Amino acid sequence: MSPLPSLLLAALLLVPLPARGQAAVDELLANFQSRLEQGAEIDDLCGSLENLESPDQKALIAQLEKTWPGVRDRYLSAFAAASKQGAGGDRNEGQRRIRELRAAFMQVYAMAEDPMKPKLKEVSKPAVDELRKLLSPTPDELLATATPVLKMQRDTARKLAQFRDAALDAALSTTPSDSREQLAAAEAKVAADAGGLPRDGLKILEKNRKIAEDEEVPAEEARGIEECNLLRLYVGLGALVLDPKLCDASRDHSKDMAEQKFFAHESPVPGKKTPWDRAAKAGTTASGENIFAGSADSHSANMGWFYSPGHHKNMFSPGQRRIGLGQHGSHWTQMFGG
């Protein structure tokens, strides 16, 4: 038997219980201990907490509140240490591979459009996918090669978080039952810290989120802009600043294409003939434009442009500095500014 679950239960039992609640809570904790040892799910155990008497619920919560922070913090500390060691151990090899993948991507980018098209699927997208794993790994990807002890610590922390949340919900406690969300957010931060995206690029992403919130940019447009920026960061390019006026111009052109039933960069609407006209009308300037139709999902639009040589060259142009994205139904317009 691994010592980790036993240590958890021992920590739980350090908190003295009222005599009245001792038997009921001891039984629950013993059951919880057994589930941890077996690697079993605890959904039914969590459901049973609704049937506890109120004093027993309070006694259980008192123990969990003493134990949860330590279990969570020890796991996250071990996860952070393992993530840094993993990144540091193969740092030279990882950096070599990143340079190699970026060079392959840029070689395709430099091609003429006809020979470029098949290479976007054969070379560019696989390169981006591998770069994403190297530069922005998910917690699950980092933990895939973790030691059995660390994996057990994670399982224990997750199940204790679930058990704590269920106990708080059953008792109708005013304490937020957000242990699982807190744990997931903390894991995501550890993974982000272990990645290799440039700080200046990450600062632009954060700035863009604030701009999107302040200017009420629709969520799907903001997501599409962030995805495009992440793609640029993976391949070694700078992130682009969100220009709300380019979003307005883009959204307006998407609306015109949908309502006027055309699909082109040249618009029949007076005063909006070219992308430059439309940008000026919105109070800004533009240096390029992509259009897409067929899905209300920004990822589909970005991937449509990624695999289309001309649009791809716009998305990954080193000379771009600003970006806007506008949706109307299944129509999308992406605009850039120098």
Side-chain angles (χ1 to χ4, degrees), residues 42-226:
I42 61 168
D43 293 352
D44 60 329
L45 189 61
C46 291
S48 72
L49 300 181
E50 297 281 353
N51 301 323
L52 276 182
E53 295 291 330
S54 179
D56 296 342
Q57 290 176 337
K58 290 178 181 178
L60 176 62
I61 289 170
Q63 296 212 47
L64 296 175
E65 291 302 272
K66 291 285 187 181
T67 307
W68 162 243
V71 171
R72 175 197 62 206
D73 293 347
R74 281 192 295 274
Y75 157 60
L76 290 172
S77 178
F79 180 32
S83 299
K84 288 177 182 176
Q85 288 172 0
D90 294 323
R91 185 173 300 278
N92 290 337
E93 174 59 23
Q95 290 301 316
R96 184 200 65 77
R97 184 60 178 156
I98 288 168
R99 290 193 296 271
E100 182 178 88
L101 291 165
R102 285 175 169 174
F105 182 93
M106 287 304 173
Q107 284 174 359
V108 175
Y109 180 82
M111 290 179 175
E113 293 190 11
D114 284 345
M116 180 187 194
K117 189 172 180 62
K119 294 296 183 181
L120 291 174
K121 287 186 178 180
E122 296 169 10
V123 176
S124 301
K125 187 58 166 57
V128 164
D129 290 342
E130 188 174 345
L131 284 164
R132 200 277 307 156
K133 290 182 180 180
L134 289 167
L135 294 165
S136 188
T138 66
D140 285 345
E141 287 167 347
L142 286 173
L143 285 157
T145 56
T147 65
V149 171
L150 182 56
K151 289 179 179 179
M152 186 181 295
Q153 281 183 284
R154 187 196 203 196
D155 185 61
T156 298
R158 282 182 149 188
K159 285 175 180 168
L160 185 58
Q162 181 184 353
F163 199 48
R164 174 184 181 267
D165 288 350
L168 291 169
D169 287 340
L172 301 178
S173 173
T174 57
T175 301
S177 55
D178 59 356
S179 312
R180 286 170 290 183
E181 289 84 353
Q182 285 184 11
L183 190 64
E187 285 185 328
K189 185 178 185 308
V190 169
D193 290 343
L197 290 178
R199 291 185 181 274
D200 56 349
L202 293 174
K203 285 180 181 178
I204 291 175
L205 297 189
E206 186 58 36
K207 176 182 178 181
N208 285 350
R209 294 179 198 126
K210 184 68 166 56
I211 294 172
E213 180 181 354
D214 291 346
E215 299 294 331
E216 299 183 347
V217 174
E220 192 63 22
E221 294 176 5
R223 276 192 289 271
I225 288 171
E226 179 147 328

Side-chain angles (χ1 to χ4, degrees), residues 190-328:
V190 169
D193 290 343
L197 290 178
R199 291 185 181 274
D200 56 349
L202 293 174
K203 285 180 181 178
I204 291 175
L205 297 189
E206 186 58 36
K207 176 182 178 181
N208 285 350
R209 294 179 198 126
K210 184 68 166 56
I211 294 172
E213 180 181 354
D214 291 346
E215 299 294 331
E216 299 183 347
V217 174
E220 192 63 22
E221 294 176 5
R223 276 192 289 271
I225 288 171
E226 179 147 328
E227 181 182 44
C228 179
N229 268 330
L230 284 170
L231 292 171
R232 288 177 61 91
L233 291 175
Y234 297 152
V235 302
L237 297 171
L240 308 176
V241 176
L242 190 159
D243 182 344
K245 293 179 179 178
L246 279 180
C247 289
D248 292 341
S250 296
R251 195 179 307 116
D252 189 58
H253 187 56
S254 295
K255 182 173 182 288
D256 285 344
M257 286 192 295
E259 294 183 350
Q260 301 292 327
K261 301 191 185 306
F262 72 97
F263 185 72
H265 295 289
E266 186 169 304
S267 172
V269 180
K272 303 180 190 177
K273 182 177 181 180
T274 69
W276 336 125
D277 294 334
R278 297 189 286 274
K281 190 174 179 65
T284 187
T285 60
S287 57
E289 181 184 81
N290 289 336
I291 56 175
F292 174 87
S295 173
D297 176 37
S298 61
H299 174 71
S300 296
N302 275 326
M303 288 301 96
W305 292 322
F306 185 98
Y307 289 120
S308 173
H311 300 94
H312 184 100
K313 286 184 181 291
N314 271 343
M315 285 179 73
F316 295 98
S317 169
Q320 312 292 18
R321 295 291 179 270
R322 293 173 290 116
I323 186 173
L325 186 65
Q327 174 193 17
H328 185 84

